[in-house]
Amino acid sequence: MDNRLNELRRKISTLRLEMLDMEASIRDLVNDDRDCTESSLRLMGMRQELTALVREWALLGGGDRLPTIQERLRENHRPLQKRKARPKPQPRPHAKRKVEKRRLVARR
């Protein structure tokens, strides 16, 4: 049973990657003002296949919660960057005169 679940998970993840590639190619075709009917039909077939795999996966007891599209888009896949060390501030030369605070006074 576990082997079948793992196999379905693998198929689902590879199918998702193929779908992402297909979506990118469709986007390129649309941007170049070319016909993308064939690619779109293939993508719709992939979506149907994905739906069937997910349904089968759930029937076999797949308990992982699958993220929605919005959740997947919000995920941060950027590598963590180390913060740059700040240079130590230079000591300021002492001011010789004291700066007075200006006070605003209403005119009559």
Side-chain angles (χ1 to χ4, degrees):
M1 183 71 84
D2 286 337
N3 289 337
R4 181 70 180 140
L5 282 174
N6 288 335
E7 180 184 334
L8 286 172
R9 287 179 68 178
R10 242 187 325 273
K11 284 182 181 179
I12 289 170
S13 64
T14 55
L15 189 58
R16 281 183 174 167
L17 290 174
E18 290 175 18
M19 288 172 64
L20 287 173
D21 289 340
M22 183 66 65
E23 289 169 1
S25 69
I26 290 172
R27 222 173 281 116
D28 290 340
L29 289 171
V30 168
N31 288 339
D32 292 339
D33 202 24
R34 295 173 54 201
D35 184 30
C36 62
T37 307
E38 250 182 68
S39 302
S40 299
L41 291 174
R42 275 189 272 147
L43 180 63
M44 288 171 50
M46 287 178 178
R47 287 181 179 169
Q48 288 176 342
E49 184 181 347
L50 180 67
T51 303
L53 288 173
V54 169
R55 189 175 298 125
E56 184 180 352
W57 174 79
L59 288 174
L60 288 176
D64 295 341
R65 187 185 154 284
L66 298 175
T68 62
I69 293 173
Q70 289 83 12
E71 291 170 344
R72 288 178 58 94
L73 291 174
R74 287 185 189 136
E75 290 176 358
N76 186 5
H77 297 286
R78 296 180 184 164
L80 293 176
Q81 294 180 352
K82 293 182 180 178
R83 296 179 89 182
K84 293 181 180 179
R86 294 172 115 186
K88 292 185 179 181
Q90 298 293 326
R92 292 184 181 178
H94 297 288
K96 293 184 179 177
R97 61 185 175 136
K98 186 176 179 182
V99 178
E100 290 186 25
K101 191 174 187 180
R102 293 176 143 187
R103 299 192 185 270
L104 297 176
V105 180
R107 289 188 189 181
R108 289 189 178 174

